[in-house]
C-alpha cells in the first residue's frame, strides 16, 4: 500500500502522541462510567478501559485490579497519579 509523505507524517505523529491520546480517552471513559445507567453499558465501558490501559502498556495485574474494583473513582485516581509522574 503506497502512502503519500503527508499520510506517513500523520501516521508517525499519531504513534508519537498515542500515550496522550489514550490518556484522554481514559479520562473520557471515566466520565462515561460515572454517567452510565445500565450494567450492560458499564460492562462495555470497562472493556474499553481495559483495552486502552493495555495500549498504554500498563501491567496486566494493575489493569485487572482497576477493572475488578468496578469503580470509576479508582480509574480517575490512577490517571491522576499517572499524570503526576510525567
Amino acid at each position: 500500500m503506497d502512502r503519500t509523505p503527508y499520510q506517513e507524517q500523520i501516521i508517525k505523529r499519531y504513534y508519537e502522541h498515542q500515550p496522550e491520546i489514550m490518556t484522554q480517552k481514559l479520562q473520557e471513559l471515566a466520565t462515561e462510567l460515572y454517567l452510565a445507567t445500565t450494567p450492560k453499558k458499564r460492562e462495555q465501558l470497562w472493556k474499553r478501559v481495559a483495552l486502552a490501559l493495555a495500549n498504554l502498556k500498563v501491567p496486566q495485574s494493575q489493569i485487572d485490579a482497576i477493572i475488578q474494583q468496578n469503580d470509576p473513582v479508582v480509574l480517575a485516581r490512577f490517571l491522576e497519579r499517572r499524570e503526576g509522574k510525567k
Side-chain angles (χ1 to χ4, degrees), residues 19-63:
E20 292 88 1
I21 293 167
M22 285 297 117
T23 300
Q24 181 177 351
K25 181 177 287 218
L26 281 164
Q27 291 167 341
E28 292 168 2
L29 287 169
T31 301
E32 289 184 49
L33 280 165
Y34 276 115
L35 301 174
T37 56
T38 65
K40 184 175 180 175
K41 179 67 175 175
R42 288 178 63 87
E43 182 181 331
Q44 292 171 343
L45 290 169
W46 280 115
K47 286 179 183 177
R48 290 173 54 196
V49 166
L51 183 60
L53 289 170
N55 286 337
L56 282 174
K57 300 191 181 1
V58 174
Q60 187 62 45
S61 60
Q62 199 169 11
I63 294 172

Side-chain angles (χ1 to χ4, degrees), residues 69-83:
Q69 293 184 49
N70 195 24
D71 185 356
V73 173
V74 172
L75 176 59
R77 288 187 181 142
F78 168 79
L79 293 170
E80 285 176 0
R81 285 192 308 271
R82 185 176 171 86
E83 285 298 307

